[in-house]
Amino acid sequence: MGKKKKRGESEAEWEPLNIERNKEQNDVHLGNGDSQEQKKKKKKKSKEMVKEENVLKEKPTVSIALAGSIIDNTQSLELATRLAGQIARASTIFRIDEVVVFDNIGSSVDSSDPTLEDGSNDDESGAVFLLRILKYMETPQYLRKSLFPMHNNLRYVGSLPPLDAPHHLRKHEWAPYREGVTLKDRNLTSGGTLVDVGLSKPVAIDQVSGPGIRVTVSMGAERSLDADIPHQVVSSSTPREDAGMYWGYKVRYAPNISSVFKNCLYKGGYDHVIGTSEHGIVMKSSDLTLPSFRHLLIAFGGLAGLEECIEEDNNLKGKSAKEVFDLYLNTCPHQGSRTIRTEQEAIFISLQYLQEPINSVLQKF
């Protein structure tokens, strides 16, 4: 018989085996860990790629900002309404995505929509008046009665020429999308809310909402008003992003010019800001090259120009217009008149001047 091994020697012989076995087990666990880690990395990378694709898919936007004080100089409510209508027309003709109306309240931070306040007071500021008319004009005709209560300052809107925008559809027209307003009634089959989209009868949507809410409804390619088939409510930007359709402009209020930039609704803010003034630089439209912007803003001043708007804003004290804007342009040099009116002339002149440079950027997307 062989000599009996001591316990220490036995453990010493088994130790390499145990180390090897533990190493194998650790390798297995480590391998599984790597696999899980790799899955997480792939998932994260996939999300980032989707996010990048969505960013690339988003088409650049063009916004304009103008001082509400341009209305203060008008001599009658009818004339003020007509001037507001011209701004709405210009915004639609040049496919503007957002109109920001700013006041000259130096230190105010309240950017809530003043048109939502109760009352039908005639004596509202030029900014609030302009905001109200612009919102009314952008809304399809068949929705206005439901969305806008009676107001003294809407007395003359019926005399304004219609915008005839792509989302202002007639009763007999069919389009992939329509604007609608939710009703109190529900669909008996699906239980979804019924929506008035300006057709012969309301359509059901795939969700439940309270009445009086404006929504964008996906109508599908084929004409069908089957109440049993619920339609999908989509973002108001979907027609623009997916179908390349111009779908009107959004309207926003800002208490002062600094709030125009600070309270921008777009993620990341405006990445290129242009100011227009007779004191700006002079160059041909064909020589102007804009950077590949995501959100462009073009600003127009009040009766005394953008310089006064900046001076009256406590948040911009000590800053010049050239410091506030990325580009400060004179879009109508050698003017014969001492003044160019924002609502009647400056907006049309400037947007036409910038049409080619803007389109050069938009064509890349």
Side-chain angles (χ1 to χ4, degrees), residues 66-73 100-104 125-128 130 301-302:
L66 56 152
S69 60
I70 59 176
I71 297 294
D72 294 338
N73 210 28
V100 187
V101 181
F102 62 90
D103 246 323
N104 285 339
S125 71
V128 178
L130 183 54

Side-chain angles (χ1 to χ4, degrees), residues 242-255:
D242 291 358
M245 302 170 72
Y246 176 64
W247 210 247
Y249 54 80
K250 296 183 185 300
V251 187
R252 179 166 67 88
Y253 171 77

Side-chain angles (χ1 to χ4, degrees), residues 20-45:
E20 192 65 32
R21 195 173 291 166
N22 288 338
K23 187 181 176 184
E24 286 176 8
Q25 288 174 355
N26 287 338
D27 285 344
V28 170
H29 288 306
L30 193 60
N32 289 337
D34 282 344
S35 176
Q36 290 294 329
E37 193 65 32
Q38 284 172 1
K39 283 179 183 177
K40 284 180 183 177
K41 284 180 180 178
K42 283 180 182 178
K43 195 173 181 181
K44 188 178 179 183
K45 193 175 181 182

Side-chain angles (χ1 to χ4, degrees), residues 229-361:
I229 303 174
H231 294 270
Q232 185 182 5
V233 173
V234 298
S235 167
S236 59
S237 63
T238 301
R240 180 178 175 276
E241 301 290 350
D242 291 358
M245 302 170 72
Y246 176 64
W247 210 247
Y249 54 80
K250 296 183 185 300
V251 187
R252 179 166 67 88
Y253 171 77
N256 43 47
I257 192 167
S258 60
S259 298
V260 173
F261 317 121
K262 184 180 177 182
N263 300 327
C264 175
L265 299 177
Y266 299 112
K267 191 175 181 180
Y270 304 110
D271 50 0
H272 196 67
V273 183
I274 298 174
T276 59
S277 169
E278 61 179 321
H279 304 296
I281 62 170
V282 176
M283 65 188 304
K284 291 180 181 178
S285 173
S286 55
D287 294 335
L288 176 62
T289 303
L290 296 177
S292 293
F293 60 82
R294 299 301 308 172
H295 305 294
L296 172 68
L297 175 71
I298 307 158
F300 300 89
L303 299 174
L306 284 170
E307 290 87 355
E308 184 184 65
C309 298
I310 293 169
E311 284 174 15
E312 292 183 357
D313 192 326
N314 294 336
N315 299 313
L316 298 175
K317 286 290 183 186
K319 289 193 176 182
S320 67
K322 291 180 181 177
E323 291 176 291
V324 174
F325 300 100
D326 298 312
L327 186 61
Y328 204 49
L329 275 176
N330 181 352
T331 57
C332 187
H334 316 301
Q335 62 194 57
S337 174
R338 193 173 296 171
T339 57
I340 293 180
R341 296 186 67 88
T342 296
E343 70 286 352
Q344 291 175 306
E345 299 149 346
I347 293 178
F348 279 99
I349 292 169
S350 298
L351 293 181
Q352 180 56 49
Y353 171 93
L354 291 165
Q355 187 79 337
E356 186 181 334
I358 288 172
N359 285 339
S360 296
V361 174

Side-chain angles (χ1 to χ4, degrees), residues 43-233:
K43 195 173 181 181
K44 188 178 179 183
K45 193 175 181 182
S46 177
K47 281 183 180 178
E48 287 174 357
M49 286 174 70
V50 168
K51 193 175 179 182
E52 284 177 15
E53 283 175 12
N54 288 337
V55 170
L56 291 171
K57 184 183 172 185
E58 288 177 6
K59 294 183 180 178
T61 63
V62 180
S63 302
I64 63 171
L66 56 152
S69 60
I70 59 176
I71 297 294
D72 294 338
N73 210 28
T74 53
Q75 295 157 347
S76 68
L77 176 62
E78 188 175 1
L79 181 57
T81 303
R82 197 180 306 163
L83 296 182
Q86 288 177 330
I87 294 170
R89 285 282 298 171
S91 301
T92 304
I93 289 168
F94 291 101
R95 300 170 71 94
I96 298 301
D97 300 295
E98 180 194 34
V99 181
V100 187
V101 181
F102 62 90
D103 246 323
N104 285 339
I105 304 171
S107 58
S108 176
V109 293
D110 183 11
S111 295
S112 59
D113 188 343
T115 63
L116 300 178
E117 295 175 6
D118 293 334
S120 56
N121 185 16
D122 304 1
D123 190 26
E124 56 188 12
S125 71
V128 178
F129 174 86
L130 183 54
L131 201 73
R132 189 182 303 281
I133 303 295
L134 288 174
K135 287 170 70 176
Y136 183 90
M137 291 298 293
E138 187 279 332
T139 304
Q141 290 89 329
Y142 57 87
L143 297 180
R144 289 173 181 171
K145 191 175 180 181
S146 301
L147 296 173
F148 289 87
M150 293 285 289
H151 194 282
N152 292 336
N153 286 339
L154 294 176
R155 270 179 288 171
Y156 295 105
V157 290
S159 64
L160 296 177
L163 300 188
D164 209 16
H167 64 305
H168 288 205
L169 294 159
R170 278 82 170 174
K171 199 169 187 177
H172 65 277
E173 292 179 314
W174 189 267
Y177 305 94
R178 283 186 85 101
E179 290 296 288
V181 61
T182 55
L183 305 173
K184 290 181 181 178
D185 303 325
R186 303 274 181 88
N187 179 266
L188 296 175
T189 306
S190 65
T193 300
L194 292 179
V195 177
D196 177 11
V197 291
L199 295 172
S200 57
K201 61 179 183 177
V203 298
I205 57 173
D206 57 355
Q207 60 189 53
V208 176
S209 300
I213 300 171
R214 181 174 167 177
V215 291
T216 305
V217 182
S218 177
M219 302 298 294
E222 295 182 8
R223 188 183 185 96
S224 173
L225 289 176
D226 188 348
D228 292 333
I229 303 174
H231 294 270
Q232 185 182 5
V233 173

